Amino acid sequence: DLLGLIRFSHTVFALPFALLAAVLAWRETPFRSQDLLGIVLCMVFARSAAMAFNRLVDRQFDAENERTAARHIPAGKLSVRIVIAFTLICSIGFLLSTLVFLPNRLPAYLSLPVLLFLLSYSYAKRFTVYCHYWLSAALMLSPLAAWIAIRGDIELPPLLLSDADFDRQRKLSSIPARYGIKKALTIALISHLITIACLFGLWWFAGLGYVFLAGVIVVAGMLLYEHSLVRPDDLSRVNLAFFHVNAVISLGLFLIGTVDVLITAMRS
């Protein structure tokens, strides 16, 4: 029930971006298995804490909304006390997981501000129609954080990868309510075009090879394909467009990027 509460399977959206940033960082930094473990632990704990906290603060709204009334807390499957305990355990787990990256102390120093930023998204929807941009910014932290954890600095490649993740996630539920479905789909298309530009920029500035370039071209086609699935008068396939296609894109970029780096390493 706890895994269902936090939609644990959706971790697949952000984790591949963090892992791809790590692969790029390891090109010039020795690989340590503990860094890989730290990235996975931090991603899982941070996302789980944020999702559980979101369910807690939104439980009254969920109970009043027919679409969300069946969620675990309003439906009585999980008590508030259990979810609070789960949120605290995951939050502490995230903070402690940053110690895995020692002697690099930056992750530990930045862990609390990052956690607070992730949790505060749940309140953003109270005062801004653009609350999902806050969520997108939270997701975009994953490749930046992975790079900092391994390299201890920040450079252009993880920024481009973060921008790609940021724009790819802009399926804003509040934008259609404010501007209408047709304009919302136009905004989504513009965001996807920016995503594609960022991915091409990542290929160029990170010095990746033609394998990754081919992958970016395929991803560009898939992003555009998403828009053929959804129309203003027919949103029946929006879940296919968002969840299925984006999951393939996230995993695909990680695998293609890893293969590209390995091929380049073998050639050199």
Side-chain angles (χ1 to χ4, degrees), residues 68-140:
T68 57
R71 286 178 175 173
H72 294 71
I73 298 179
K77 297 178 182 178
L78 291 171
S79 69
V80 171
R81 182 177 298 179
I82 289 177
V83 178
I84 289 175
F86 179 75
T87 303
L88 290 174
I89 290 171
C90 289
S91 297
I92 295 171
F94 168 67
L95 297 175
L96 293 178
S97 294
T98 60
L99 299 178
V100 174
F101 301 108
L102 290 174
N104 181 3
R105 299 187 180 188
L106 277 177
Y109 294 155
L110 297 173
S111 59
L112 184 57
V114 166
L115 180 62
L116 293 176
F117 184 82
L118 297 179
L119 298 181
S120 61
Y121 155 71
S122 297
Y123 290 104
K125 64 187 70 174
R126 265 71 168 177
F127 59 84
T128 175
V129 70
Y130 301 105
C131 59
H132 280 67
Y133 282 91
W134 195 304
L135 176 60
S136 297
L139 290 169
M140 105 183 225

Side-chain angles (χ1 to χ4, degrees), residues 167-168 186-200 220 223-224 227:
D167 292 315
R168 189 182 56 83
T186 301
I187 292 172
L189 176 61
I190 294 172
S191 295
H192 280 149
L193 293 176
I194 296 174
T195 296
I196 293 169
C198 287
L199 289 174
F200 276 109
L223 287 174
L224 296 177
H227 291 273

Side-chain angles (χ1 to χ4, degrees), residues 195-260:
T195 296
I196 293 169
C198 287
L199 289 174
F200 276 109
L202 174 64
W203 166 73
W204 179 261
F205 288 104
L208 294 167
Y210 290 106
V211 173
F212 189 78
L213 175 61
V216 171
I217 294 174
V218 172
V219 166
M222 293 183 69
L223 287 174
L224 296 177
Y225 168 69
E226 284 191 20
H227 291 273
S228 70
L229 296 176
V230 183
R231 300 194 306 272
D233 59 345
D234 182 11
L235 301 177
S236 61
R237 293 186 290 180
V238 69
N239 283 336
L240 171 63
F242 178 59
F243 294 115
H244 295 176
V245 176
N246 279 357
V248 171
I249 288 174
S250 298
L251 290 172
L253 278 174
F254 166 64
L255 293 175
I256 291 297
T258 302
V259 169
D260 191 286

Side-chain angles (χ1 to χ4, degrees), residues 124-175:
K125 64 187 70 174
R126 265 71 168 177
F127 59 84
T128 175
V129 70
Y130 301 105
C131 59
H132 280 67
Y133 282 91
W134 195 304
L135 176 60
S136 297
L139 290 169
M140 105 183 225
L141 287 175
S142 61
L144 290 174
W147 183 279
I148 291 172
I150 294 173
R151 294 284 298 272
D153 60 15
I154 190 67
E155 293 183 12
L156 188 58
L159 286 172
L160 290 170
L161 189 53
S162 296
D163 286 340
D165 192 19
F166 175 86
D167 292 315
R168 189 182 56 83
Q169 296 292 340
R170 289 181 184 172
K171 296 285 187 173
L172 308 180
S173 59
S174 56
I175 290 293

